[in-house]
Amino acid sequence: MKNNQARRDFLIRVSSISAALTAGGILSACGGNETLMVNFDYGVASGDPLSDKVILWTHAKYQDLSDAVVLTWQVASDIEFSKIVSSGSAQASPDSGYTCKVDATGLSPNQTYFYRFKAGQHTSPIGKTKTLPIGSVSEVKLAVLSCSNYPAGFFNVYSEVGRSDVDVAVHLGDYIYEYAATGYASDTAASLGRTSVPANEILTLSDYRMRHAQYKSDADSKQFHANKPIIAVWDDHEFTNDTYKDGAENHTPATEGSFSVRKAAAIQAYHEWMPIRSGSDKAKIYRSFNFGNLISLHMLDTRSIGRDLQIEITDLINPAKQAAAVAALSSPTRQLLGTEQLQWVQTQMATSQATWQVLGQQVLMARMEFPVSILQALNSSDTSPQALAAGEKAISDYLTAKTKKGLGMQLSDSETALLNQAKLGYNLDAWDGYPAAREILLSTAAQLKKRLVVLAGDTHNAWHSNLTLMSGQKVGEEFATSSVSSPGLEAYLALPPAQVKAIFEGVVNDLKWMDSSRRGYLKLSITPAQVQGEWLFIDTISSRTYKVVTPTANEKRIYSA
Ligand SMILES: [Fe+2]
């Protein structure tokens, strides 16, 4: 011990005498690099809190050396670190892209803690985190987030969540996007100084690591992660657009190689860069969190582990392809979660004693069904004024018939036919494309008499819907968050947002409220009596100076089952 200390002292003196000393090899050989500059370029993060432990994350690298960095970490109950309650050592090695994750144990429930990493004389930024409560819990506050797109704009929503009073942030995926620098949502990226790195669409482990690093280099992301523990699941863009278990819309094997190789790279980088508790099978990320007796939060993977290939809506309304598409869509064995995950979540719900069963997952579960007459009119590739007018007429004819029925007025035969026609979900990448799987999951909650709340992201817009069985029986409610920065319907529809909102809320039976144009997050305040969802929107992502839009009464919505 003494010899080691003497040797270290000597090395520190040598190093300070000559800053230019190329001492990396010598220092490594002696078992320490304490005097070399260590950078914590991506801050710190915490995640997957339980009542007694939490994952702590950082990235550490020597300035000009590729060796692993030996780290110590500390968790304290005070920001001065005078009351250290848990500590240990770890490594940030080239094998993990210089990321480091530890599971800090021995913590107490419902406590705020401070944490940091050290490498010799260099210390990471300090992070703040919180463990989950146990027993009788009167209230939990969650932020629900999704779709943080770096080139699209600033992460002001992250900044807001970091400063908020929520206990935990739940990120429902699209934490990164895979596109090339000139791809999706990059129109203003260069002028905002947010051009994607690497410039190519990400394919390899090195690419995925670089993209994760760029997202975590963002100042608002650092502030967010340093202030709130997160519970995250991936959606498609952590892999590539419209991923399913064996492929993706945005993957071409002929030119981009094996999908399974790409998927493995994406999974590895995700586990390296996200503060998630990694098991032996890193492809499996579904897991539960208990907030005492108040909430069981079951985080699901609707994206990569069990999902069958998506069905194209154009096939369903094309007479030549309709029969096969309908057969696939209505198959009783069609999977979104896969059989193993479905059984797991059924068991989790059955054994949970919590007041609320909350499913944290990616895509809209509520029926977002449109009459075929409207889908056919809107799906036309013809964008002439006449075609758009025909689309508007299809909507207004249907809404007129629906309104008249609601008022008990006499309907014409054509109006009755409009109301009785078949309906389809407008987005078959969501649960609407997997109706049998949805019915099984919702029936489970109904049979167990559970109070069900479903959280969703993916769409870049905000939604509040009833969750119903095919019989019409209500089972629960869905609260879906807008995006941190990805563009929503306003980027694709030429109609004013108020009109888009009126169409969706008018046509879709189970939809109670939606916002069609703003970026933000969903704040959930959950008590034994109710779940309150409040959508907090910001006024811009084009500047780091922004305002939070004061929610209207209608943007604070309550479910009390
Ligand atoms: Fe997204």
Side-chain angles (χ1 to χ4, degrees), residues 56-74:
L56 308 178
W57 178 96
T58 196
H59 178 285
K61 188 169 183 320
Y62 289 112
Q63 185 121 310
D64 298 308
L65 195 63
S66 58
D67 290 24
V69 180
V70 176
L71 297 165
T72 56
W73 56 268
Q74 297 171 322

Side-chain angles (χ1 to χ4, degrees), residues 48-303:
D48 280 16
L50 300 177
S51 61
D52 61 345
K53 55 186 169 182
V54 64
I55 299 288
L56 308 178
W57 178 96
T58 196
H59 178 285
K61 188 169 183 320
Y62 289 112
Q63 185 121 310
D64 298 308
L65 195 63
S66 58
D67 290 24
V69 180
V70 176
L71 297 165
T72 56
W73 56 268
Q74 297 171 322
V75 180
S77 53
D78 63 324
I79 197 166
E80 291 81 22
F81 287 82
S82 64
K83 296 174 197 142
I84 291 172
V85 296
S86 186
S87 62
S89 60
Q91 269 205 346
S93 80
D95 295 344
S96 59
Y98 299 98
T99 62
C100 175
K101 285 203 295 193
V102 299
D103 207 349
T105 59
L107 308 181
S108 300
N110 204 29
Q111 293 295 311
T112 296
Y113 290 105
F114 299 88
Y115 63 95
R116 65 186 175 189
F117 294 83
K118 286 183 163 191
Q121 60 190 302
H122 305 289
T123 306
S124 73
I126 293 172
K128 188 166 82 169
T129 191
K130 191 175 181 185
T131 48
L132 300 192
I134 58 172
S136 179
V137 176
S138 57
E139 184 173 31
V140 167
K141 291 179 181 165
L142 302 176
V144 183
L145 300 146
S146 74
C147 300
S148 33
N149 184 308
Y150 189 88
F154 292 102
F155 289 162
N156 296 331
V157 172
Y158 275 168
S159 182
E160 272 308 298
V161 174
R163 278 199 293 273
S164 74
D165 63 349
V166 303
D167 302 296
V168 179
V170 177
H171 199 300
L172 298 176
D174 288 1
Y175 182 92
I176 61 165
Y177 282 77
E178 82 280 12
Y179 297 101
T182 53
Y184 173 67
S186 64
D187 292 355
T188 60
S191 64
L192 298 178
R194 295 176 76 83
T195 302
S196 289
V197 173
N200 56 282
E201 180 181 323
I202 54 177
L203 275 175
T204 66
L205 175 59
S206 168
D207 291 341
Y208 279 97
R209 283 174 169 172
M210 282 177 75
R211 193 58 63 86
H212 272 284
Q214 180 178 37
Y215 278 61
K216 279 215 168 57
S217 71
D218 178 90
D220 295 307
S221 173
K222 287 184 194 173
Q223 186 266 105
F224 162 60
H225 281 298
N227 280 288
K228 298 294 172 188
I230 72 163
I231 296 173
V233 283
W234 53 48
D235 197 5
D236 52 339
H237 293 286
E238 283 86 345
F239 302 87
T240 185
N241 186 51
D242 283 1
T243 290
Y244 68 102
K245 66 181 176 189
D246 300 318
E249 178 273 335
N250 190 26
H251 182 79
T252 311
T255 53
E256 296 177 315
S258 154
F259 181 73
S260 62
V261 171
R262 182 180 193 173
K263 185 172 171 177
I267 288 173
Q268 182 175 334
Y270 187 85
H271 281 273
E272 287 173 355
W273 285 85
M274 300 297 287
I276 178 174
R277 186 168 286 106
S278 304
S280 54
D281 181 359
K282 293 190 171 56
K284 199 183 275 189
I285 59 164
Y286 52 84
R287 59 208 194 278
S288 294
F289 297 86
N290 290 312
F291 296 71
N293 60 6
L294 183 62
I295 306 166
S296 283
L297 171 65
H298 311 295
M299 301 298 290
L300 304 179
D301 175 5
T302 62
R303 187 50 71 178

